[in-house]
Each structure stands twice: as C-alpha cells, then as structure tokens.
Amino acid sequence: MNMEKYRVACTLSFGDIYGQIVVWLIVIFLSLATALALMGASRPIYALATVGLILVLSLPFLLFAFVTTLLNHIEFTAVEPKTESSPASQPVSTQNPQVAS
C-alpha cells in the first residue's frame, strides 16, 4: 500500500471520550467508597482486594472503549496526484500592489 496517495486525519475530540471518563471516575469512586466501608468494618485485606479487583477488571474495558473510539475517528482519504504542468495549481495573487507616492 502506497501511503503517499492517502491523507490520515484523526478527528477525535475530548467530547468523544467525555462519557467514558465520567463512567471511569464513577467506578473509581464507588470502589473507594466500598474500600472505606470495608475498612470501617475492620477488614482491611478485603478492602484492598476489592479495590484491586475492581480496578483490574474494569481496566481492560476502559482500554477497549478508548482504543475503539480512537480507531473510529481515524480517517483515510484519497489524495489526487498533483500535476506539475497545471497552471491552476499555483497560487494566484488577487491583490493590487500599492504604489508609494
């Protein structure tokens, strides 16, 4: 595949992943709330295990969502080859030069 014939553009913006970030923050805060509740119940090992389990299980889903969103926003567009003999390809100045008096 000749990459000189294509233009690659990424149209990803923050708004495209905003919802994913909000869901990820909710998961983090819920796991921390669960950990604090279990710490108060005098079970610190269960608290650490709960936070670790939630983070380890949710991280692959977060990465999958980010990667698929990124791949959906990559665009390949075909570029027409430039012809050097065409005079229309050169910029034409439409401004009139001012004469100093």
Side-chain angles (χ1 to χ4, degrees), residues 24-40 47-48 50-52 54-55:
W24 176 245
L25 288 174
I26 290 171
V27 167
I28 296 278
F29 286 130
L30 286 178
S31 69
L32 290 176
T34 304
L36 287 174
L38 288 174
M39 282 281 193
L48 293 175
T50 301
V51 172
I54 290 172
L55 292 178

Side-chain angles (χ1 to χ4, degrees), residues 9-14 16 69-70 72-75:
C10 181
T11 60
L12 186 68
S13 66
F14 182 70
D16 297 326
T69 303
L70 175 64
N72 285 332
H73 285 86
I74 293 177
E75 295 178 352

